[in-house]
Amino acid sequence: AQKVTQAQTEISVVEKEDVTLDCVYETRDTTYYLFWYKQPPSGELVFLIRRNSFDEQNEISGRYSWNFQKSTSSFNFTITASQVVDSAVYFCAQSTSGTYKYIFGTGTRLKVLA
Amino acid sequence: NAGVTQTPKFQVLKTGQSMTLQCAQDMNHEYMSWYRQDPGMGLRLIHYSVGAGITDQGEVPNGYNVSRSTTEDFPLRLLSAAPSQTSVYFCATRSVSTGANVLTFGAGSRLTVL
């Protein structure tokens, strides 16, 4: 069975600190996709990144970076020099290629304090 | 370009009442789905559709009906609302023909059942 675990329920940091959000997934499939979504206080869900299971290269986009490690079944998300606007709930999700089901983690609430 | 439009944004029902949450998209996406978001539970798939006339159950389908008569619309029906259906509901769509499997979400509908 597929499962996505975000063990950190809530994290609080002070502005400009770096923070890493953990995501551990379980799947027996060889071809799958991993996603991160952001849900700001306004409530909408915003897509951040997609990774496929054959691409283990780390990704950097501005202050955001993602570390995908198949050996540990993890897809962690790091925010460098956090800002108050980063305060949100972040969801990790997994989907197997050729299916239409997406498994979401329970989310991590990030609070960035000024 | 409206993207994914959900109505209503807020609704209060009494136990036993029926209602329909509407989802409309103008992106010509074949895949449409409904999720519910509950505290500590993440997002859970209720029903999904990969085209007009085709629907399938997700993880938590009980108490909900769907139909897909057009590409653009995917309504979610609650025939007899229960307090356990108090939740935030999200419609999500994606393209199937292009292979792009990133979900695009609507703004959400908050439902309270008294």
Side-chain angles (χ1 to χ4, degrees), chain B residues 52-70:
Chain B
I54 305 170
T55 63
D56 206 347
Q57 296 182 350
E59 182 183 357
V60 289
N62 292 339
Y64 306 95
N65 281 348
V66 292
S67 61
R68 184 95 177 269
S69 56
T70 67

Side-chain angles (χ1 to χ4, degrees), chain B residues 14-34:
Chain B
K14 294 182 179 178
T15 296
Q17 287 184 319
S18 63
M19 79 153 301
T20 300
L21 297 177
Q22 302 289 349
C23 177
Q25 55 104 356
D26 61 2
M27 298 178 291
N28 208 28
H29 284 174
E30 299 92 334
Y31 175 90
M32 298 184 74
S33 58
W34 279 100

Side-chain angles (χ1 to χ4, degrees), chain B:
Chain B
N1 193 354
V4 182
T5 302
Q6 289 184 233
T7 55
K9 292 192 185 308
F10 302 95
Q11 183 72 49
V12 179
L13 290 177
K14 294 182 179 178
T15 296
Q17 287 184 319
S18 63
M19 79 153 301
T20 300
L21 297 177
Q22 302 289 349
C23 177
Q25 55 104 356
D26 61 2
M27 298 178 291
N28 208 28
H29 284 174
E30 299 92 334
Y31 175 90
M32 298 184 74
S33 58
W34 279 100
Y35 286 83
R36 59 177 289 173
Q37 181 182 8
D38 302 293
M41 303 289 288
L43 289 109
R44 294 180 292 168
L45 180 63
I46 304 172
H47 285 286
Y48 67 96
S49 167
V50 296
I54 305 170
T55 63
D56 206 347
Q57 296 182 350
E59 182 183 357
V60 289
N62 292 339
Y64 306 95
N65 281 348
V66 292
S67 61
R68 184 95 177 269
S69 56
T70 67
T71 300
E72 295 78 18
D73 301 295
F74 191 45
L76 179 71
R77 299 183 185 85
L78 287 72
L79 297 180
S80 179
S84 61
Q85 294 177 304
T86 293
S87 188
V88 180
Y89 292 85
F90 287 95
C91 180
T93 75
R94 59 162 273 206
S95 172
V96 173
S97 56
T98 65
N101 62 350
V102 173
L103 291 175
T104 300
F105 286 87
S109 298
R110 183 177 294 274
L111 174 65
T112 301
V113 183
L114 304 176

